[in-house]
Amino acid sequence: MITLTHVGKQYGRIHTALADVNFHIDPGEFVFLTGPSGAGKSTLLKLLFRQQMPTSGEIRLAGHRLASMSAKEIPFLRRKLGVVFQDFKLIHTMTVFENVAFVLKVMGVSFSEQKQRAFRSLKMVGLQHKLSSYPLQLSGGEQQRVAIARALVNDPLVLLADEPTGNLDPDLAQEIMSLFERINGQGTTVMVATHDRNLIQRMRKRVLGLDHGRMGFDLPAPASMVVV
Ligand SMILES: Nc1ncnc2c1ncn2[C@@H]1O[C@H](COP(=O)(O)OP(=O)(O)OP(=O)(O)O)[C@@H](O)[C@H]1O
Ligand SMILES: [Mg+2]
């Protein structure tokens, strides 16, 4: 579903954010991307979303070759993705409902279906009662959950989430992870960037580790205990 081959990203002439990154993620996998602050996690997700272009190497995602993709193709790629940004990127002049339903509106989905799907998505994150609120009337954790609802509203093939539990208390963080597991169980490939070690340990999934822009490790999901 996602393949990176010798991917590098430079910001300006001297700053190397990613260098020679290689990995493959199969459809339906659940993968954590971890590493210290500045390691390149957000940069990597931005490349996958085609918000930025790699300086070198090749990225394939859901059948698209990202480097040679035309501008016209980008919306078709993005419709297959659900993205939770580290800074949420909610539109403050739009209500929670309008934020979540926006992508559906752009796709020409009828208003009654927009309402139905946005409600379902907000219910998944426990915020169906905040439909008419504006983002700035919500707490940080609530805004984060709206961003998650927005990412899920389109039943994405791939969910990319950048620190999606950064503003949540441990119980809510666990709930969101259980939700992601459920979504993953329905076939969505999930990639979560986080430096929350406890969360990673609890979840027992494959973990990709970045350090100073390089792949430090790729640990498979620990085998489940077999009771003999
Ligand atoms: N637009 C940019 N211009 C210049 N340098 C950038 C830009 N975005 C990121 N960087 C640099 O690239 C490196 C990787 O940044 P990135 O945001 O990918 O790290 P991260 O692993 O997501 O960190 P964090 O855990 O703090 O979110 C950092 O050194 C950062 O300063
Ligand atoms: Mg980041």
Side-chain angles (χ1 to χ4, degrees):
M1 181 61 75
I2 306 175
T3 306
L4 272 73
T5 317
H6 302 303
V7 168
K9 174 70 183 170
Q10 302 253 130
Y11 286 114
R13 267 214 227 139
I14 45 161
H15 191 90
T16 302
L18 294 172
D20 197 23
V21 175
N22 298 280
F23 62 79
H24 173 78
I25 296 175
D26 280 327
E29 275 199 80
F30 191 128
V31 181
F32 281 108
L33 178 65
T34 191
S37 182
K41 303 180 296 295
S42 295
T43 299
L44 183 49
L45 294 185
K46 284 174 187 167
L47 296 182
L48 297 180
F49 182 56
R50 193 46 160 76
Q51 187 180 334
Q52 289 179 350
M53 291 270 280
T55 321
S56 55
E58 174 152 306
I59 303 177
R60 284 165 174 256
L61 199 163
H64 299 269
R65 279 168 183 271
L66 270 53
S68 57
M69 191 176 221
S70 68
K72 262 198 266 168
E73 234 185 300
I74 294 175
F76 293 100
L77 165 78
R78 293 196 178 152
R79 277 175 204 178
K80 296 180 185 170
L81 306 178
V83 185
V84 183
F85 298 94
Q86 190 164 13
D87 56 358
F88 319 148
K89 293 206 192 309
L90 297 174
I91 300 171
H92 293 156
T93 52
M94 297 193 336
T95 64
V96 164
F97 164 73
E98 287 165 346
N99 267 281
V100 173
F102 187 68
V103 61
L104 303 175
K105 189 177 172 187
V106 169
M107 285 168 63
V109 170
S110 72
F111 187 63
S112 64
E113 198 178 333
Q114 285 177 39
K115 276 201 294 197
Q116 203 184 346
R117 287 169 68 176
F119 185 81
R120 188 194 59 177
S121 212
L122 282 163
K123 195 156 182 244
M124 285 198 255
V125 299
L127 284 182
Q128 67 277 19
H129 55 295
K130 296 283 186 182
L131 273 169
S132 321
S133 302
Y134 285 88
L136 294 179
Q137 296 172 326
L138 304 178
S139 72
E142 286 170 339
Q143 290 181 36
Q144 189 151 34
R145 285 186 283 152
V146 173
I148 292 168
R150 180 181 57 184
L152 296 176
V153 78
N154 198 23
D155 295 326
L157 206 56
V158 179
L159 176 66
L160 303 172
D162 201 351
E163 298 287 354
T165 57
N167 286 276
L168 306 180
D169 62 56
D171 286 348
L172 256 182
Q174 190 53 48
E175 262 182 51
I176 292 298
M177 282 300 122
S178 305
L179 171 61
F180 283 8
E181 270 193 311
R182 237 170 45 229
I183 303 286
N184 177 242
Q186 292 163 11
T188 297
T189 307
V190 177
M191 185 168 204
V192 179
T194 181
H195 31 55
D196 187 340
R197 287 202 193 127
N198 291 330
L199 193 71
I200 292 174
Q201 262 167 15
R202 272 202 312 274
M203 294 291 291
R204 304 172 63 83
K205 305 288 184 194
R206 179 178 169 193
V207 188
L208 301 176
L210 280 175
D211 194 7
H212 291 93
R214 294 187 174 271
M215 286 284 297
F217 55 84
D218 181 353
L219 301 172
S224 359
M225 293 243 292
V226 179
V227 182
V228 188

